[in-house]
Each structure stands twice: as structure tokens, then as C-alpha cells.
Amino acid sequence: MRKVVLVSSLIVVFVLFFEAYRENVGDEWRYYQKRYKEELKKLATNDQEKQLANNYEIKMRQIVLPELNRVDRCISCHVGIEDSRMGDAQQPLTVHPGDILEIHELDTIGCTVCHDGQGRAITAKEAHAVGIPYWEKPMLFQPFLQSNCFRCHNMDELPQLMKFHEGKKIFFSNGCLGCHKLEGKGGQLAPDLTNVADANIHLKHPVNEDLIRQFHKNFNIAYIYESVKNPKAQPEVTAMPSFNFSEEEVEALTVFLKSLSARAVPASYLAQKRGGHQSEDVQGEALFRKYCVACHGIDAKGGVKNINYVKRTVPALNTLAERMFLAEPEDANKAAELLEKGVDITNMSPELDVPNRGRFLAQYRAIRNVIEKGSIAGKEDSKGPEPLLHMPSWAEGLTRKDIDSIISYLIKLYPWGEKKSEENNE
Ligand code: HEC
Ligand code: HEC
Ligand code: HEC
Ligand code: HEC
Ligand code: HEC
């Protein structure tokens, strides 16, 4: 009997001790809230403020966001986040930098929709989720905080997010969509990038350890960065070219790519669009840079190597005018302008007035046909490896008008001046 009493009182003592420990130091958030309470007492200048400070309750604090399917407890530790007097305090007690929480209402938005991290967690390690490889969305560090604004904003209305916009521009002018797809548009040779910022994309390849450290153990960001910076570092890399981007360019591209994931917010959360809607660039040159330049080269000059391909390099497209029997600049301009305007040159009246009209139209149809249907690059050595680059089919991704305006751009690229001086030299 004495033994039983002894054991049970030991248990009681232990439980009391454990509770006391938990109350005081065990729960990180209690500790921070106590520190905040001390700060409030020190800051109090009159009786009313003193009373408020004394009454400050130590308790679990959270923002419940049913529409976003989130519960964010970050404010259990980041208690001073809206308290402008906490400017000089240390994390996690300090006030939020900038005016972003004045523009957005904390009660309706929470923290993780911008910051990522694990909203429900109550230890710093788990809440920030840094270094937990399989946690979907570890907390973002700068400059990647720009990557989540897209969830609710039309990014064109936030031009101040410079890294994002620089990356977007690089993405759309270097032919990434010649091989990749984005929201249904683009080539067929490479993985769809529509959700590349989602969780486990990095599991495809092991990622360089140094990069994982550089990006605060965000495996997804390290993977995206490495895919662009140094595709050859990845064992299975095939057709993905090595672009000679600078460090800043790769970082900007990564900020943009990190925004390619589901919005995951209901319409009521979207910032109202002001101004006109976004229209897609339909000019031939912009379309060429978006979809074709990575394979057909800058200014369509060709020269991009293609392993074991009969012609060795992907064909240049800046001499289409000649192939289309447009022998004079005036004729080429006439045809190019009609195509740019969207006129159906195969069926117009009066008929298109260029010499060799029949042969011109036959070539035009043949070129459209290759662009719409695509073409498999033939092998030079029939026993050798498959060439990496094939002409993709664009029938689904590009409209008839888009294709005409690209052909128009290509016709205008013909180097008339150089040809004339070559003739003179003869
Ligand atoms: C259990 C307490 C706790 C919780 C919960 C918590 N944090 Fe923190 N947070 C801290 C502490 C302590 C620091 C400072 C030390 C550090 O960086 O780990 C900090 C730092 C930060 C920083 C600055 C990081 C840096 O180094 O620049 C950000 C941003 C942040 N937290 C966001 C969040 C978000 C978002 C959540 C909710 C998903 C959250 N925190 C939840 C305790 C917490
Ligand atoms: C609308 C988006 C948005 C929301 C919501 C938001 N933040 Fe931030 N947060 C930002 C941005 C952007 C920055 C960087 C601002 C800057 O550097 O001027 C930032 C910076 C911070 C920092 C400082 C990081 C550092 O390196 O010093 C902390 C800490 C932080 N946020 C915590 C929170 C917490 C906690 C919440 C929720 C209570 C929250 N934020 C809600 C966008 C947001
Ligand atoms: C969960 C949705 C949501 C997220 C995420 C979000 N915002 Fe907003 N933001 C809004 C809403 C709603 C408004 C109110 C705008 C309106 O409709 O007038 C707003 C307004 C603004 C405004 C002022 C109005 C304007 O358009 O000039 C700025 C600036 C802004 N947000 C910047 C940001 C930045 C930067 C980020 C990313 C760090 C961000 N927002 C993330 C929803 C969001
Ligand atoms: C993934 C690389 C790749 C992309 C992207 C690509 N092409 Fe091609 N293209 C090729 C290859 C390789 C050939 C040669 C195929 C062959 O030999 O049959 C080719 C052939 C062509 C031809 C026929 C050239 C000739 O000499 O017969 C045209 C026209 C053409 N491409 C236009 C385009 C246009 C317009 C775009 C963008 C909308 C585009 N290509 C995007 C790889 C590509
Ligand atoms: C000539 C075709 C081609 C072009 C052009 C191209 N890529 Fe790729 N890319 C690939 C292929 C193929 C892979 C798959 C590599 C592998 O795993 O073998 C890839 C992989 C990637 C990945 C990893 C995606 C994933 O799901 O694993 C990213 C990110 C990426 N590319 C970004 C870009 C960007 C940004 C550009 C433009 C600057 C670009 N790519 C241009 C062919 C291309």
C-alpha cells in the first residue's frame, strides 16, 4: 500500500512539474507572449495602459480562414505584428515591415497565403517548416515573397515587384514555351510548367546540397533554380538547353517560376482588376520569342545544335522570303503586311498581286503545314541516337492568325542588304 501511495504521489509531482514547465518554457508561444506582456507593461504610460497590459491574456491566438481552408497560428508567437511600437523588438515580437498589413486586413487574410509555412503548427520549426523536405510549402524568404502575390492580384498592376516582372519577361522572350507548356499552350518536348512550383516536383532528381542551403532548404526553389541555371547537373536532362543567363537573371526567372501553381483562393479574395483585361501579345516577333527562338535561334538565324540530325543544326528561318519566291523587297513587304493584318491570302479578291503567285502560295501552305503539324528531325547516322529537338506541332497552341503573324515576321527578316552587296561583289 505504501508503495502505491509513493508511486502515485510521484506521478502527481511529475505531472505538476511537467505542467509548470510547459506553462513557463515548454510552449514557445507562451514564452513569447510573456515577453510581449513584459514589453507592454514597460511601454504603458498611464493607468489605463497599465491595466490593459496586466490584463493581457496568455493564450493560443489564431486566425481562422474557412474560405481559404487555413488556420494560421503564427500570431501566437508573432504577437506584436500589428503593434507599431514594436519596431525595435526582436523576432518574433517585431511589427510587420512596410505597409502591407495596412493594405490587407489581417483578420481575413492571415499569414500563410503570402508567406507559406504551416499555419496550424505551434513550434517555430514546424510553423516555418524550413528543412522538412516533404512539407509542401516551407516559408518563403526574399525575393520569393513576390511569388505568392499572383494568387489574388493581376500582376501587371503590381509593377513594383521588379524581380517577378524581370523573370516573366525572360521567360516569354527566350522560347521556353517552344518545349514547355503553360496553361495548355506551348510545345510538347518537356514537362508542363503550369504547376512547377508545387510541392514535390523536386523529387524527380537529387538537388545539389549547396543550393538547398542557399535557398533556406526550400527543395522546390533549389530544384527550379538548378533546372534553369545548370540543366546538365541533372542526370536525366535531355533537350533542356543551357542558357547563358547571369545570376540575377536566373534568380528573377526562379521568382517567376515559383509563382506557377494553383491560386487556391476563392474569387471573393481577388483584388479587383482595374484597367483593361490582359491581352495576349499577338505580334509575330513576340510570338517567335515566346515559342520558337530557343530552337531556331535569335533573329531566326539558326545554328542551334541538334545531335545526330541530318542537317546538324535546327534550320534558320530568316530566308523564308527567298523560299517563298518573293524576289523583291516590295513583294515581300506586300505579302508580310497582308499576313500581319490577318488577311487570308489564299482566298482574297482581287487576288494577291505578286510574281509567281501560284508557287508563292504553295510554299506558304507548305510552311503553315509544318508549323501546324510539326516534323520529326531525321537521323544523320541511322544507328545513332535520336535527335533531341523535333519541330513541335502548333495546331492546338497557336491560332491561324498567330501563325500568319509569325510568318510575316519571318518574311521581313530576310537580309536584303547583305544579299545585294554579295551580288555586287560578284
Ligand atoms: C512558436 C513560435 C512561432 C510561430 C508559431 C511562428 N513563428 Fe515565425 N518566428 C519565430 C521566431 C522565434 C523567429 C526568429 C528566429 C527564427 O528565424 O527562427 C521567427 C521568425 C520569422 C520570420 C523572419 C525569418 C527571417 O529570418 O527573416 C518570418 C517571416 C516568420 N517568422 C513568419 C512566420 C509565419 C508566416 C508563421 C506562421 C506560419 C510563423 N512565423 C509562426 C517564432 C514563431
Ligand atoms: C499580403 C501579403 C502578406 C501577409 C498577409 C503577411 N505578410 Fe509578412 N511579409 C510580406 C512581405 C512582402 C514581406 C517583406 C516586406 C519587406 O521586406 O518590406 C513580409 C515580411 C515579414 C516579416 C519580416 C521578415 C524579415 O526578413 O525581416 C515577418 C516576420 C512577417 N512578414 C511575418 C508575417 C506574419 C506573422 C504574418 C501574419 C500575421 C504576415 N507576415 C502576413 C507579405 C505578407
Ligand atoms: C489573399 C489575397 C491577396 C494576396 C495573397 C495579396 N493581396 Fe494585395 N490585395 C488584395 C486585395 C483584396 C486588395 C484590395 C484591392 C482592391 O480590390 O482594391 C489588395 C490590395 C493591394 C495593394 C493596394 C491596391 C493596389 O492594387 O495598388 C497592394 C499594393 C497590394 N495589394 C500588394 C500585394 C503584394 C505585394 C502581395 C504579395 C506579397 C499581395 N498584395 C498579396 C488581396 C491579396
Ligand atoms: C523544340 C525545337 C523547336 C521549336 C520550339 C520550334 N521548332 Fe521549328 N523546327 C525544328 C526542327 C528540328 C525543324 C526541322 C525538322 C525537319 O528537319 O523535318 C524545324 C522546322 C521548322 C520549319 C521548316 C523549316 C524548313 O527548313 O523546312 C518551320 C517553318 C518551323 N520549324 C517553324 C517554327 C515556328 C514558327 C516555331 C514556333 C512557333 C518553331 N518552328 C518552333 C525545331 C523546333
Ligand atoms: C529545347 C527544349 C527546351 C527549352 C527551349 C526549354 N526547356 Fe526546360 N526542359 C526541357 C526538358 C526536356 C526538360 C526535362 C529535363 C529532364 O528531366 O530530363 C526541361 C526541364 C525544365 C525544368 C524542370 C521542370 C520539371 O518539371 O522537372 C524547368 C523549371 C525548366 N525546364 C525551365 C525552362 C525555362 C525557364 C526555359 C526558358 C528559359 C526552358 N526550360 C526552355 C526542355 C526545354
Side-chain angles (χ1 to χ4, degrees):
M1 188 63 199
R2 289 232 314 263
K3 245 187 187 166
V4 174
V5 172
L6 184 68
V7 168
S8 47
S9 46
L10 270 179
I11 289 174
V12 170
V13 168
F14 180 76
V15 167
L16 285 178
F17 181 78
F18 182 77
E19 273 304 309
Y21 172 82
R22 223 171 64 96
E23 280 275 313
N24 290 290
V25 271
D27 280 327
E28 289 170 60
W29 56 270
R30 281 181 207 278
Y31 168 73
Y32 294 123
Q33 290 192 15
K34 280 184 184 157
R35 267 181 46 195
Y36 182 56
K37 189 168 181 169
E38 292 308 312
E39 283 299 319
L40 287 181
K41 285 184 192 163
K42 273 190 238 157
L43 287 166
T45 50
N46 56 36
D47 284 349
Q48 201 200 350
E49 281 178 11
K50 270 183 199 142
Q51 204 180 350
L52 278 175
N54 283 327
N55 291 345
Y56 181 80
E57 210 184 327
I58 311 288
K59 61 170 189 196
M60 173 73 70
R61 288 160 201 274
Q62 60 186 22
I63 303 169
V64 182
L65 304 159
E67 279 192 272
L68 293 179
N69 200 13
R70 289 165 195 263
V71 175
D72 284 356
R73 295 179 171 151
C74 316
I75 51 165
S76 281
C77 294
H78 291 270
V79 269
I81 202 78
E82 289 191 290
D83 186 341
S84 58
R85 297 169 300 176
M86 302 302 282
D88 294 330
Q90 279 187 333
Q91 290 299 7
L93 299 184
T94 187
V95 66
H96 200 277
D99 61 357
I100 202 126
L101 291 192
E102 285 153 35
I103 303 169
H104 302 89
E105 247 177 87
L106 197 52
D107 292 348
T108 60
I109 191 173
C111 315
T112 54
V113 71
C114 289
H115 279 274
D116 287 350
Q118 205 170 327
R120 285 171 194 267
I122 52 164
T123 66
K125 190 175 187 317
E126 286 183 0
H128 302 155
V130 170
I132 304 177
Y134 303 106
W135 177 250
E136 287 174 56
K137 302 260 173 178
M139 191 170 84
L140 296 175
F141 288 79
Q142 289 289 31
F144 299 99
L145 273 167
Q146 301 186 3
S147 306
N148 270 342
C149 313
F150 87 95
R151 289 178 190 278
C152 307
H153 285 274
N154 169 356
M155 294 297 273
D156 289 346
E157 289 176 5
L158 297 176
Q160 66 270 37
L161 304 177
M162 312 252 286
K163 281 270 169 208
F164 176 92
H165 289 287
E166 190 194 336
K168 184 174 171 188
K169 196 165 145 216
I170 296 170
F171 184 82
F172 286 116
S173 58
N174 281 279
C176 310
L177 293 178
C179 299
H180 293 280
K181 265 201 176 55
L182 188 60
E183 287 168 0
K185 281 191 147 190
Q188 297 104 37
L189 285 180
D192 190 324
L193 295 179
T194 308
N195 288 310
V196 72
D198 279 351
N200 295 326
I201 297 289
H202 68 274
L203 296 177
K204 288 187 188 169
H205 304 295
V207 186
N208 179 314
E209 288 290 329
D210 291 338
L211 286 180
I212 293 172
R213 243 169 280 128
Q214 181 184 334
F215 292 110
H216 298 92
K217 305 195 185 158
N218 189 316
F219 289 71
N220 179 242
I221 293 179
Y223 177 81
I224 293 174
Y225 177 93
E226 187 177 51
S227 299
V228 180
K229 175 79 179 171
N230 189 14
K232 298 277 183 282
Q234 304 201 0
E236 292 163 45
V237 162
T238 42
M240 173 81 182
S242 288
F243 294 88
N244 283 321
F245 293 134
S246 69
E247 190 55 36
E248 288 77 45
E249 287 170 324
V250 181
E251 188 181 77
L253 251 175
T254 310
V255 169
F256 171 71
L257 292 167
K258 186 62 194 155
S259 77
L260 302 180
S261 72
R263 262 176 189 251
V265 299
S268 59
Y269 271 86
L270 304 185
Q272 261 147 32
K273 278 189 192 166
R274 267 164 265 142
H277 69 109
Q278 260 170 301
S279 64
E280 221 207 332
D281 224 331
V282 290
Q283 281 193 324
E285 181 174 0
L287 289 168
F288 181 83
R289 292 235 188 105
K290 205 161 168 180
Y291 297 112
C292 326
V293 69
C295 293
H296 288 286
I298 290 165
D299 298 334
K301 283 182 182 155
V304 176
K305 287 208 184 72
N306 197 8
I307 307 175
N308 196 31
Y309 169 48
V310 262
K311 296 181 194 156
R312 309 263 164 99
T313 59
V314 180
L317 298 175
N318 61 348
T319 53
L320 282 200
E322 192 176 307
R323 298 223 336 240
M324 295 170 96
F325 301 99
L326 297 165
E328 294 298 327
E330 299 75 53
D331 297 328
N333 283 341
K334 197 188 292 172
E337 263 158 41
L338 288 168
L339 287 169
E340 180 69 60
K341 277 192 203 136
V343 175
D344 179 359
I345 54 169
T346 60
N347 188 19
M348 59 186 271
S349 74
E351 286 179 341
L352 175 63
D353 171 30
V354 290
N356 301 311
R357 192 179 65 89
R359 288 157 87 191
F360 162 75
L361 285 179
Q363 278 299 329
Y364 163 75
R365 287 199 188 92
I367 287 164
R368 279 193 62 96
N369 199 41
V370 182
I371 299 175
E372 278 171 358
K373 303 234 166 75
S375 171
I376 302 285
K379 286 184 183 181
E380 181 173 37
D381 168 5
S382 62
K383 294 191 196 87
E386 186 69 20
L388 289 176
L389 304 176
H390 299 286
M391 173 64 186
S393 136
W394 296 97
E396 279 171 34
L398 296 174
T399 63
R400 201 202 120 86
K401 260 180 113 172
D402 291 340
I403 295 176
D404 276 352
S405 93
I406 296 174
I407 297 177
S408 161
Y409 163 70
L410 295 171
I411 290 174
K412 285 190 274 182
L413 284 179
Y414 193 78
W416 297 103
E418 288 165 36
K419 293 283 160 181
K420 283 272 186 307
S421 56
E422 272 167 33
E423 277 164 27
N424 293 344
N425 289 344
E426 275 165 8

